[in-house]
Amino acid sequence: MTIQLVFIALLTYLGAIGAPWFFGTTGGFYTLGRPLIASALVGIILGDVKLALEVGVLIQAMYIGIITPGAVMPFDVNYIGYLTTALVVLSKMDPQLAPTLAIPVGLLGVLLWNVVWIVNVYFVHKADKYAEAGNMKGVKMMNLLPQVVNFALRFIPAFVILYLGKDFLQNFISSIPPFVNHYLQVVGGMLPALGIGLLLNMIIKEKIYFGIFLIGFLAVVYLQLPIIPIALFGTVLALFWFKFTAESEVS
């Protein structure tokens, strides 16, 4: 059983948003990290595919609309998919109870992910210093060492939770001081915002483009409009924009 738990804990790392081993996020977070796929793999490993998929369907339905703008995760669907399914299968729980168990699992995953972001900032600054000094070996090392942190903070907690069971998880979540959890959430939320700002700084050439982006952002976040119609509207607006700007440049 220990080997099976090791495989499941390893998948919680390989399917994480920061793991690059399966064609980046394409094969990792957006494939291995999906709850339905995670539950199927857990079912195969633990020998109860039917129960695992019953859990996976419920979890996938719960979080099917979850997006990660700038890597901001309200819940860690990867941790939820693997750990919740495994805990239900191991304890032979009613799969209808999976959504209740998924909430603390998802919150723990977000907490750990915020810690990963905070710790790995150190390696980014070190990589910048190595780049300025022309030390390419140092730059490469600073891109590899963060994966050690990612692995440790994904694999180890997952294995411990699976080994000790669901009661340990619930007790651990309740024992975290609220101010610690709040601090990590605030700092972790600042880092994705910085990343989005840097991305916009690279792709936006004129201030008008930022205005268009801001309109879409406000429509989704504050007006609570569905993101797909807003994206389609933005696509049409972009086509018109480039058509008219190209015609004006020709004339």
mmCIF file of all heavy atoms in Angstrom, residues 131-181:
data_model
loop_
_atom_site.group_PDB
_atom_site.id
_atom_site.type_symbol
_atom_site.label_atom_id
_atom_site.label_comp_id
_atom_site.label_asym_id
_atom_site.label_seq_id
_atom_site.Cartn_x
_atom_site.Cartn_y
_atom_site.Cartn_z
ATOM 1 N N ALA A 131 22.659 35.987 -14.191
ATOM 2 C CA ALA A 131 22.554 36.441 -15.584
ATOM 3 C C ALA A 131 23.382 37.708 -15.797
ATOM 4 O O ALA A 131 24.047 37.855 -16.833
ATOM 5 C CB ALA A 131 21.095 36.685 -15.943
ATOM 6 N N GLU A 132 23.329 38.625 -14.839
ATOM 7 C CA GLU A 132 24.119 39.853 -14.959
ATOM 8 C C GLU A 132 25.617 39.547 -14.971
ATOM 9 O O GLU A 132 26.389 40.248 -15.632
ATOM 10 C CB GLU A 132 23.789 40.789 -13.798
ATOM 11 C CG GLU A 132 22.374 41.377 -13.867
ATOM 12 C CD GLU A 132 22.054 42.199 -12.644
ATOM 13 O OE1 GLU A 132 22.922 42.292 -11.737
ATOM 14 O OE2 GLU A 132 20.946 42.761 -12.589
ATOM 15 N N ALA A 133 26.003 38.495 -14.252
ATOM 16 C CA ALA A 133 27.425 38.130 -14.198
ATOM 17 C C ALA A 133 27.826 37.214 -15.353
ATOM 18 O O ALA A 133 28.990 36.837 -15.467
ATOM 19 C CB ALA A 133 27.722 37.446 -12.869
ATOM 20 N N GLY A 134 26.874 36.841 -16.203
ATOM 21 C CA GLY A 134 27.171 35.951 -17.323
ATOM 22 C C GLY A 134 27.376 34.509 -16.921
ATOM 23 O O GLY A 134 27.978 33.727 -17.667
ATOM 24 N N ASN A 135 26.876 34.129 -15.763
ATOM 25 C CA ASN A 135 27.027 32.758 -15.253
ATOM 26 C C ASN A 135 25.812 31.931 -15.677
ATOM 27 O O ASN A 135 24.810 31.868 -14.969
ATOM 28 C CB ASN A 135 27.170 32.782 -13.729
ATOM 29 C CG ASN A 135 27.475 31.410 -13.155
ATOM 30 O OD1 ASN A 135 27.348 30.391 -13.834
ATOM 31 N ND2 ASN A 135 27.877 31.382 -11.892
ATOM 32 N N MET A 136 25.875 31.277 -16.826
ATOM 33 C CA MET A 136 24.742 30.525 -17.341
ATOM 34 C C MET A 136 24.489 29.244 -16.544
ATOM 35 O O MET A 136 23.348 28.801 -16.425
ATOM 36 C CB MET A 136 24.971 30.178 -18.814
ATOM 37 C CG MET A 136 24.898 31.367 -19.754
ATOM 38 S SD MET A 136 23.268 32.198 -19.697
ATOM 39 C CE MET A 136 23.638 33.635 -18.677
ATOM 40 N N LYS A 137 25.541 28.661 -15.981
ATOM 41 C CA LYS A 137 25.342 27.481 -15.150
ATOM 42 C C LYS A 137 24.524 27.835 -13.903
ATOM 43 O O LYS A 137 23.665 27.060 -13.465
ATOM 44 C CB LYS A 137 26.692 26.893 -14.735
ATOM 45 C CG LYS A 137 27.437 26.216 -15.884
ATOM 46 C CD LYS A 137 28.705 25.554 -15.377
ATOM 47 C CE LYS A 137 29.427 24.829 -16.520
ATOM 48 N NZ LYS A 137 30.688 24.182 -16.055
ATOM 49 N N GLY A 138 24.822 28.998 -13.347
ATOM 50 C CA GLY A 138 24.054 29.456 -12.190
ATOM 51 C C GLY A 138 22.596 29.704 -12.543
ATOM 52 O O GLY A 138 21.704 29.366 -11.768
ATOM 53 N N VAL A 139 22.362 30.273 -13.725
ATOM 54 C CA VAL A 139 20.980 30.517 -14.165
ATOM 55 C C VAL A 139 20.237 29.200 -14.313
ATOM 56 O O VAL A 139 19.079 29.065 -13.889
ATOM 57 C CB VAL A 139 20.962 31.303 -15.491
ATOM 58 C CG1 VAL A 139 19.537 31.415 -16.022
ATOM 59 C CG2 VAL A 139 21.557 32.690 -15.297
ATOM 60 N N LYS A 140 20.889 28.216 -14.935
ATOM 61 C CA LYS A 140 20.247 26.901 -15.101
ATOM 62 C C LYS A 140 19.922 26.282 -13.749
ATOM 63 O O LYS A 140 18.850 25.705 -13.552
ATOM 64 C CB LYS A 140 21.161 25.973 -15.901
ATOM 65 C CG LYS A 140 21.325 26.369 -17.362
ATOM 66 C CD LYS A 140 22.284 25.411 -18.078
ATOM 67 C CE LYS A 140 22.482 25.822 -19.525
ATOM 68 N NZ LYS A 140 23.440 24.924 -20.229
ATOM 69 N N MET A 141 20.868 26.401 -12.814
ATOM 70 C CA MET A 141 20.641 25.807 -11.492
ATOM 71 C C MET A 141 19.477 26.479 -10.781
ATOM 72 O O MET A 141 18.673 25.819 -10.101
ATOM 73 C CB MET A 141 21.917 25.948 -10.650
ATOM 74 C CG MET A 141 21.836 25.233 -9.300
ATOM 75 S SD MET A 141 21.536 23.466 -9.468
ATOM 76 C CE MET A 141 23.030 22.943 -10.309
ATOM 77 N N MET A 142 19.349 27.803 -10.951
ATOM 78 C CA MET A 142 18.246 28.515 -10.315
ATOM 79 C C MET A 142 16.895 28.211 -10.957
ATOM 80 O O MET A 142 15.858 28.553 -10.415
ATOM 81 C CB MET A 142 18.506 30.032 -10.366
ATOM 82 C CG MET A 142 19.650 30.499 -9.495
ATOM 83 S SD MET A 142 19.480 30.020 -7.750
ATOM 84 C CE MET A 142 20.666 28.674 -7.640
ATOM 85 N N ASN A 143 16.926 27.578 -12.132
ATOM 86 C CA ASN A 143 15.676 27.117 -12.741
ATOM 87 C C ASN A 143 15.343 25.684 -12.336
ATOM 88 O O ASN A 143 14.198 25.260 -12.467
ATOM 89 C CB ASN A 143 15.763 27.198 -14.265
ATOM 90 C CG ASN A 143 15.504 28.603 -14.782
ATOM 91 O OD1 ASN A 143 14.377 29.001 -15.020
ATOM 92 N ND2 ASN A 143 16.569 29.380 -14.935
ATOM 93 N N LEU A 144 16.352 24.949 -11.858
ATOM 94 C CA LEU A 144 16.115 23.570 -11.438
ATOM 95 C C LEU A 144 15.785 23.460 -9.949
ATOM 96 O O LEU A 144 14.921 22.667 -9.558
ATOM 97 C CB LEU A 144 17.355 22.716 -11.744
ATOM 98 C CG LEU A 144 17.651 22.479 -13.232
ATOM 99 C CD1 LEU A 144 18.970 21.727 -13.390
ATOM 100 C CD2 LEU A 144 16.517 21.698 -13.893
ATOM 101 N N LEU A 145 16.452 24.258 -9.127
ATOM 102 C CA LEU A 145 16.234 24.165 -7.683
ATOM 103 C C LEU A 145 14.794 24.459 -7.264
ATOM 104 O O LEU A 145 14.289 23.816 -6.328
ATOM 105 C CB LEU A 145 17.202 25.105 -6.953
ATOM 106 C CG LEU A 145 18.667 24.658 -6.924
ATOM 107 C CD1 LEU A 145 19.523 25.680 -6.192
ATOM 108 C CD2 LEU A 145 18.798 23.287 -6.264
ATOM 109 N N PRO A 146 14.093 25.404 -7.917
ATOM 110 C CA PRO A 146 12.686 25.601 -7.522
ATOM 111 C C PRO A 146 11.839 24.344 -7.658
ATOM 112 O O PRO A 146 10.876 24.171 -6.900
ATOM 113 C CB PRO A 146 12.212 26.701 -8.485
ATOM 114 C CG PRO A 146 13.433 27.457 -8.828
ATOM 115 C CD PRO A 146 14.535 26.438 -8.867
ATOM 116 N N GLN A 147 12.196 23.451 -8.601
ATOM 117 C CA GLN A 147 11.429 22.216 -8.729
ATOM 118 C C GLN A 147 11.641 21.292 -7.527
ATOM 119 O O GLN A 147 10.763 20.485 -7.208
ATOM 120 C CB GLN A 147 11.791 21.498 -10.023
ATOM 121 C CG GLN A 147 11.252 22.166 -11.268
ATOM 122 C CD GLN A 147 9.738 22.377 -11.206
ATOM 123 O OE1 GLN A 147 8.998 21.504 -10.781
ATOM 124 N NE2 GLN A 147 9.301 23.543 -11.631
ATOM 125 N N VAL A 148 12.793 21.425 -6.875
ATOM 126 C CA VAL A 148 13.017 20.671 -5.640
ATOM 127 C C VAL A 148 12.034 21.151 -4.572
ATOM 128 O O VAL A 148 11.433 20.350 -3.842
ATOM 129 C CB VAL A 148 14.470 20.826 -5.163
ATOM 130 C CG1 VAL A 148 14.675 20.108 -3.833
ATOM 131 C CG2 VAL A 148 15.437 20.300 -6.213
ATOM 132 N N VAL A 149 11.876 22.485 -4.492
ATOM 133 C CA VAL A 149 10.921 23.055 -3.541
ATOM 134 C C VAL A 149 9.504 22.630 -3.912
ATOM 135 O O VAL A 149 8.710 22.218 -3.041
ATOM 136 C CB VAL A 149 11.030 24.594 -3.533
ATOM 137 C CG1 VAL A 149 9.980 25.214 -2.608
ATOM 138 C CG2 VAL A 149 12.427 25.020 -3.101
ATOM 139 N N ASN A 150 9.177 22.722 -5.193
ATOM 140 C CA ASN A 150 7.841 22.326 -5.640
ATOM 141 C C ASN A 150 7.551 20.872 -5.279
ATOM 142 O O ASN A 150 6.460 20.539 -4.796
ATOM 143 C CB ASN A 150 7.717 22.508 -7.161
ATOM 144 C CG ASN A 150 7.774 23.966 -7.570
ATOM 145 O OD1 ASN A 150 7.845 24.847 -6.730
ATOM 146 N ND2 ASN A 150 7.775 24.220 -8.865
ATOM 147 N N PHE A 151 8.523 20.016 -5.553
ATOM 148 C CA PHE A 151 8.340 18.588 -5.272
ATOM 149 C C PHE A 151 8.147 18.346 -3.777
ATOM 150 O O PHE A 151 7.241 17.608 -3.361
ATOM 151 C CB PHE A 151 9.542 17.800 -5.786
ATOM 152 C CG PHE A 151 9.481 16.331 -5.447
ATOM 153 C CD1 PHE A 151 8.709 15.472 -6.203
ATOM 154 C CD2 PHE A 151 10.194 15.830 -4.361
ATOM 155 C CE1 PHE A 151 8.645 14.118 -5.889
ATOM 156 C CE2 PHE A 151 10.130 14.489 -4.042
ATOM 157 C CZ PHE A 151 9.360 13.632 -4.806
ATOM 158 N N ALA A 152 8.999 18.966 -2.958
ATOM 159 C CA ALA A 152 8.931 18.740 -1.513
ATOM 160 C C ALA A 152 7.603 19.203 -0.931
ATOM 161 O O ALA A 152 6.999 18.520 -0.093
ATOM 162 C CB ALA A 152 10.085 19.459 -0.819
ATOM 163 N N LEU A 153 7.125 20.366 -1.395
ATOM 164 C CA LEU A 153 5.906 20.926 -0.831
ATOM 165 C C LEU A 153 4.637 20.367 -1.465
ATOM 166 O O LEU A 153 3.537 20.703 -1.022
ATOM 167 C CB LEU A 153 5.921 22.456 -0.975
ATOM 168 C CG LEU A 153 6.949 23.157 -0.087
ATOM 169 C CD1 LEU A 153 6.929 24.655 -0.326
ATOM 170 C CD2 LEU A 153 6.683 22.863 1.392
ATOM 171 N N ARG A 154 4.765 19.550 -2.484
ATOM 172 C CA ARG A 154 3.604 18.851 -3.046
ATOM 173 C C ARG A 154 3.594 17.383 -2.617
ATOM 174 O O ARG A 154 2.589 16.886 -2.130
ATOM 175 C CB ARG A 154 3.622 18.923 -4.580
ATOM 176 C CG ARG A 154 3.606 20.292 -5.163
ATOM 177 C CD ARG A 154 2.306 21.007 -4.968
ATOM 178 N NE ARG A 154 1.192 20.335 -5.617
ATOM 179 C CZ ARG A 154 -0.044 20.846 -5.644
ATOM 180 N NH1 ARG A 154 -0.304 22.006 -5.071
ATOM 181 N NH2 ARG A 154 -1.016 20.200 -6.241
ATOM 182 N N PHE A 155 4.712 16.714 -2.803
ATOM 183 C CA PHE A 155 4.779 15.273 -2.566
ATOM 184 C C PHE A 155 4.682 14.924 -1.077
ATOM 185 O O PHE A 155 3.875 14.074 -0.680
ATOM 186 C CB PHE A 155 6.074 14.708 -3.148
ATOM 187 C CG PHE A 155 6.287 13.252 -2.857
ATOM 188 C CD1 PHE A 155 5.730 12.287 -3.677
ATOM 189 C CD2 PHE A 155 7.023 12.849 -1.747
ATOM 190 C CE1 PHE A 155 5.914 10.934 -3.402
ATOM 191 C CE2 PHE A 155 7.209 11.507 -1.468
ATOM 192 C CZ PHE A 155 6.651 10.547 -2.298
ATOM 193 N N ILE A 156 5.496 15.575 -0.259
ATOM 194 C CA ILE A 156 5.577 15.192 1.156
ATOM 195 C C ILE A 156 4.250 15.380 1.885
ATOM 196 O O ILE A 156 3.758 14.446 2.540
ATOM 197 C CB ILE A 156 6.724 15.946 1.858
ATOM 198 C CG1 ILE A 156 8.067 15.524 1.256
ATOM 199 C CG2 ILE A 156 6.708 15.678 3.363
ATOM 200 C CD1 ILE A 156 9.252 16.299 1.788
ATOM 201 N N PRO A 157 3.601 16.581 1.804
ATOM 202 C CA PRO A 157 2.300 16.714 2.484
ATOM 203 C C PRO A 157 1.257 15.730 1.956
ATOM 204 O O PRO A 157 0.458 15.195 2.724
ATOM 205 C CB PRO A 157 1.899 18.165 2.193
ATOM 206 C CG PRO A 157 3.169 18.865 1.886
ATOM 207 C CD PRO A 157 4.031 17.851 1.211
ATOM 208 N N ALA A 158 1.265 15.499 0.636
ATOM 209 C CA ALA A 158 0.286 14.571 0.060
ATOM 210 C C ALA A 158 0.476 13.161 0.619
ATOM 211 O O ALA A 158 -0.489 12.491 0.999
ATOM 212 C CB ALA A 158 0.408 14.561 -1.460
ATOM 213 N N PHE A 159 1.731 12.709 0.679
ATOM 214 C CA PHE A 159 1.994 11.360 1.190
ATOM 215 C C PHE A 159 1.611 11.249 2.663
ATOM 216 O O PHE A 159 1.014 10.248 3.084
ATOM 217 C CB PHE A 159 3.465 10.998 0.998
ATOM 218 C CG PHE A 159 3.810 9.637 1.524
ATOM 219 C CD1 PHE A 159 3.509 8.503 0.787
ATOM 220 C CD2 PHE A 159 4.415 9.491 2.774
ATOM 221 C CE1 PHE A 159 3.811 7.237 1.278
ATOM 222 C CE2 PHE A 159 4.713 8.235 3.272
ATOM 223 C CZ PHE A 159 4.405 7.103 2.526
ATOM 224 N N VAL A 160 1.949 12.274 3.444
ATOM 225 C CA VAL A 160 1.628 12.246 4.878
ATOM 226 C C VAL A 160 0.119 12.195 5.086
ATOM 227 O O VAL A 160 -0.388 11.426 5.924
ATOM 228 C CB VAL A 160 2.242 13.472 5.587
ATOM 229 C CG1 VAL A 160 1.723 13.587 7.017
ATOM 230 C CG2 VAL A 160 3.756 13.384 5.590
ATOM 231 N N ILE A 161 -0.632 12.999 4.334
ATOM 232 C CA ILE A 161 -2.086 13.021 4.465
ATOM 233 C C ILE A 161 -2.681 11.666 4.094
ATOM 234 O O ILE A 161 -3.559 11.137 4.796
ATOM 235 C CB ILE A 161 -2.687 14.133 3.591
ATOM 236 C CG1 ILE A 161 -2.328 15.498 4.179
ATOM 237 C CG2 ILE A 161 -4.198 13.996 3.472
ATOM 238 C CD1 ILE A 161 -2.619 16.651 3.249
ATOM 239 N N LEU A 162 -2.212 11.100 2.989
ATOM 240 C CA LEU A 162 -2.725 9.805 2.569
ATOM 241 C C LEU A 162 -2.372 8.711 3.575
ATOM 242 O O LEU A 162 -3.173 7.804 3.836
ATOM 243 C CB LEU A 162 -2.153 9.437 1.192
ATOM 244 C CG LEU A 162 -2.647 10.287 0.016
ATOM 245 C CD1 LEU A 162 -1.877 9.938 -1.248
ATOM 246 C CD2 LEU A 162 -4.139 10.099 -0.201
ATOM 247 N N TYR A 163 -1.195 8.798 4.146
ATOM 248 C CA TYR A 163 -0.739 7.773 5.087
ATOM 249 C C TYR A 163 -1.494 7.846 6.411
ATOM 250 O O TYR A 163 -1.846 6.813 6.997
ATOM 251 C CB TYR A 163 0.759 7.933 5.324
ATOM 252 C CG TYR A 163 1.377 6.803 6.116
ATOM 253 C CD1 TYR A 163 1.708 5.598 5.488
ATOM 254 C CD2 TYR A 163 1.630 6.930 7.478
ATOM 255 C CE1 TYR A 163 2.270 4.555 6.205
ATOM 256 C CE2 TYR A 163 2.189 5.893 8.200
ATOM 257 C CZ TYR A 163 2.502 4.714 7.564
ATOM 258 O OH TYR A 163 3.054 3.682 8.277
ATOM 259 N N LEU A 164 -1.746 9.082 6.876
ATOM 260 C CA LEU A 164 -2.384 9.255 8.185
ATOM 261 C C LEU A 164 -3.905 9.323 8.111
ATOM 262 O O LEU A 164 -4.580 9.115 9.116
ATOM 263 C CB LEU A 164 -1.849 10.515 8.867
ATOM 264 C CG LEU A 164 -0.352 10.505 9.191
ATOM 265 C CD1 LEU A 164 0.058 11.807 9.846
ATOM 266 C CD2 LEU A 164 -0.005 9.318 10.089
ATOM 267 N N GLY A 165 -4.449 9.659 6.923
ATOM 268 C CA GLY A 165 -5.894 9.623 6.759
ATOM 269 C C GLY A 165 -6.568 10.972 6.872
ATOM 270 O O GLY A 165 -5.947 11.995 7.158
ATOM 271 N N LYS A 166 -7.885 10.971 6.627
ATOM 272 C CA LYS A 166 -8.664 12.210 6.523
ATOM 273 C C LYS A 166 -8.781 12.954 7.854
ATOM 274 O O LYS A 166 -8.889 14.178 7.884
ATOM 275 C CB LYS A 166 -10.055 11.920 5.976
ATOM 276 C CG LYS A 166 -10.913 10.994 6.812
ATOM 277 C CD LYS A 166 -12.234 10.716 6.131
ATOM 278 C CE LYS A 166 -13.081 9.749 6.943
ATOM 279 N NZ LYS A 166 -13.440 10.255 8.273
ATOM 280 N N ASP A 167 -8.773 12.236 9.002
ATOM 281 C CA ASP A 167 -8.883 12.905 10.293
ATOM 282 C C ASP A 167 -7.669 13.792 10.554
ATOM 283 O O ASP A 167 -7.799 14.901 11.089
ATOM 284 C CB ASP A 167 -9.020 11.874 11.420
ATOM 285 C CG ASP A 167 -10.335 11.121 11.339
ATOM 286 O OD1 ASP A 167 -11.294 11.696 10.792
ATOM 287 O OD2 ASP A 167 -10.389 9.970 11.802
ATOM 288 N N PHE A 168 -6.496 13.310 10.157
ATOM 289 C CA PHE A 168 -5.285 14.126 10.301
ATOM 290 C C PHE A 168 -5.398 15.407 9.489
ATOM 291 O O PHE A 168 -5.014 16.485 9.955
ATOM 292 C CB PHE A 168 -4.062 13.327 9.854
ATOM 293 C CG PHE A 168 -2.822 14.165 9.675
ATOM 294 C CD1 PHE A 168 -2.083 14.565 10.769
ATOM 295 C CD2 PHE A 168 -2.426 14.588 8.415
ATOM 296 C CE1 PHE A 168 -0.950 15.353 10.609
ATOM 297 C CE2 PHE A 168 -1.304 15.367 8.245
ATOM 298 C CZ PHE A 168 -0.554 15.751 9.350
ATOM 299 N N LEU A 169 -5.907 15.311 8.263
ATOM 300 C CA LEU A 169 -6.038 16.489 7.399
ATOM 301 C C LEU A 169 -6.936 17.539 8.038
ATOM 302 O O LEU A 169 -6.591 18.721 8.099
ATOM 303 C CB LEU A 169 -6.604 16.067 6.037
ATOM 304 C CG LEU A 169 -7.027 17.195 5.108
ATOM 305 C CD1 LEU A 169 -5.810 17.998 4.664
ATOM 306 C CD2 LEU A 169 -7.773 16.659 3.905
ATOM 307 N N GLN A 170 -8.096 17.109 8.522
ATOM 308 C CA GLN A 170 -9.033 18.064 9.107
ATOM 309 C C GLN A 170 -8.460 18.711 10.361
ATOM 310 O O GLN A 170 -8.632 19.914 10.592
ATOM 311 C CB GLN A 170 -10.352 17.357 9.399
ATOM 312 C CG GLN A 170 -11.083 16.911 8.141
ATOM 313 C CD GLN A 170 -12.271 16.021 8.414
ATOM 314 O OE1 GLN A 170 -12.374 15.441 9.496
ATOM 315 N NE2 GLN A 170 -13.150 15.890 7.444
ATOM 316 N N ASN A 171 -7.747 17.941 11.185
ATOM 317 C CA ASN A 171 -7.120 18.503 12.384
ATOM 318 C C ASN A 171 -6.004 19.468 12.027
ATOM 319 O O ASN A 171 -5.827 20.504 12.684
ATOM 320 C CB ASN A 171 -6.573 17.378 13.269
ATOM 321 C CG ASN A 171 -7.673 16.530 13.856
ATOM 322 O OD1 ASN A 171 -8.786 17.009 14.053
ATOM 323 N ND2 ASN A 171 -7.374 15.270 14.137
ATOM 324 N N PHE A 172 -5.241 19.151 10.981
ATOM 325 C CA PHE A 172 -4.139 20.015 10.559
ATOM 326 C C PHE A 172 -4.660 21.360 10.047
ATOM 327 O O PHE A 172 -4.122 22.421 10.394
ATOM 328 C CB PHE A 172 -3.324 19.322 9.469
ATOM 329 C CG PHE A 172 -2.219 20.177 8.906
ATOM 330 C CD1 PHE A 172 -1.053 20.375 9.610
ATOM 331 C CD2 PHE A 172 -2.369 20.791 7.671
ATOM 332 C CE1 PHE A 172 -0.035 21.165 9.094
ATOM 333 C CE2 PHE A 172 -1.365 21.591 7.149
ATOM 334 C CZ PHE A 172 -0.193 21.773 7.871
ATOM 335 N N ILE A 173 -5.718 21.325 9.241
ATOM 336 C CA ILE A 173 -6.288 22.570 8.703
ATOM 337 C C ILE A 173 -6.778 23.468 9.825
ATOM 338 O O ILE A 173 -6.546 24.678 9.840
ATOM 339 C CB ILE A 173 -7.445 22.251 7.734
ATOM 340 C CG1 ILE A 173 -6.901 21.582 6.466
ATOM 341 C CG2 ILE A 173 -8.208 23.520 7.359
ATOM 342 C CD1 ILE A 173 -6.060 22.466 5.596
ATOM 343 N N SER A 174 -7.448 22.883 10.807
ATOM 344 C CA SER A 174 -8.003 23.685 11.908
ATOM 345 C C SER A 174 -6.916 24.216 12.840
ATOM 346 O O SER A 174 -7.144 25.175 13.574
ATOM 347 C CB SER A 174 -9.007 22.851 12.704
ATOM 348 O OG SER A 174 -8.374 21.713 13.268
ATOM 349 N N SER A 175 -5.719 23.595 12.815
ATOM 350 C CA SER A 175 -4.644 24.027 13.713
ATOM 351 C C SER A 175 -3.831 25.193 13.156
ATOM 352 O O SER A 175 -3.039 25.788 13.889
ATOM 353 C CB SER A 175 -3.707 22.850 14.003
ATOM 354 O OG SER A 175 -2.994 22.477 12.836
ATOM 355 N N ILE A 176 -3.985 25.517 11.880
ATOM 356 C CA ILE A 176 -3.224 26.620 11.286
ATOM 357 C C ILE A 176 -3.754 27.945 11.825
ATOM 358 O O ILE A 176 -4.954 28.225 11.702
ATOM 359 C CB ILE A 176 -3.330 26.604 9.756
ATOM 360 C CG1 ILE A 176 -2.738 25.316 9.193
ATOM 361 C CG2 ILE A 176 -2.624 27.811 9.140
ATOM 362 C CD1 ILE A 176 -2.908 25.168 7.703
ATOM 363 N N PRO A 177 -2.911 28.783 12.424
ATOM 364 C CA PRO A 177 -3.384 30.078 12.932
ATOM 365 C C PRO A 177 -3.962 30.924 11.804
ATOM 366 O O PRO A 177 -3.394 30.974 10.705
ATOM 367 C CB PRO A 177 -2.109 30.725 13.508
ATOM 368 C CG PRO A 177 -1.187 29.568 13.771
ATOM 369 C CD PRO A 177 -1.491 28.552 12.715
ATOM 370 N N PRO A 178 -5.083 31.580 12.050
ATOM 371 C CA PRO A 178 -5.717 32.381 10.985
ATOM 372 C C PRO A 178 -4.804 33.449 10.408
ATOM 373 O O PRO A 178 -4.841 33.704 9.202
ATOM 374 C CB PRO A 178 -6.938 33.000 11.687
ATOM 375 C CG PRO A 178 -7.220 32.081 12.823
ATOM 376 C CD PRO A 178 -5.895 31.552 13.262
ATOM 377 N N PHE A 179 -3.960 34.070 11.247
ATOM 378 C CA PHE A 179 -3.106 35.147 10.734
ATOM 379 C C PHE A 179 -2.042 34.593 9.788
ATOM 380 O O PHE A 179 -1.647 35.272 8.834
ATOM 381 C CB PHE A 179 -2.457 35.925 11.891
ATOM 382 C CG PHE A 179 -1.320 35.205 12.556
ATOM 383 C CD1 PHE A 179 -0.004 35.399 12.122
ATOM 384 C CD2 PHE A 179 -1.548 34.348 13.613
ATOM 385 C CE1 PHE A 179 1.045 34.740 12.733
ATOM 386 C CE2 PHE A 179 -0.500 33.683 14.229
ATOM 387 C CZ PHE A 179 0.798 33.875 13.785
ATOM 388 N N VAL A 180 -1.583 33.364 10.012
ATOM 389 C CA VAL A 180 -0.607 32.753 9.108
ATOM 390 C C VAL A 180 -1.247 32.478 7.756
ATOM 391 O O VAL A 180 -0.678 32.780 6.697
ATOM 392 C CB VAL A 180 -0.046 31.453 9.716
ATOM 393 C CG1 VAL A 180 0.859 30.729 8.701
ATOM 394 C CG2 VAL A 180 0.731 31.753 10.984
ATOM 395 N N ASN A 181 -2.422 31.915 7.792
ATOM 396 C CA ASN A 181 -3.141 31.627 6.554
ATOM 397 C C ASN A 181 -3.434 32.909 5.775
ATOM 398 O O ASN A 181 -3.262 32.983 4.554
ATOM 399 C CB ASN A 181 -4.444 30.897 6.874
ATOM 400 C CG ASN A 181 -5.096 30.291 5.650
ATOM 401 O OD1 ASN A 181 -4.467 30.175 4.601
ATOM 402 N ND2 ASN A 181 -6.340 29.915 5.772
#
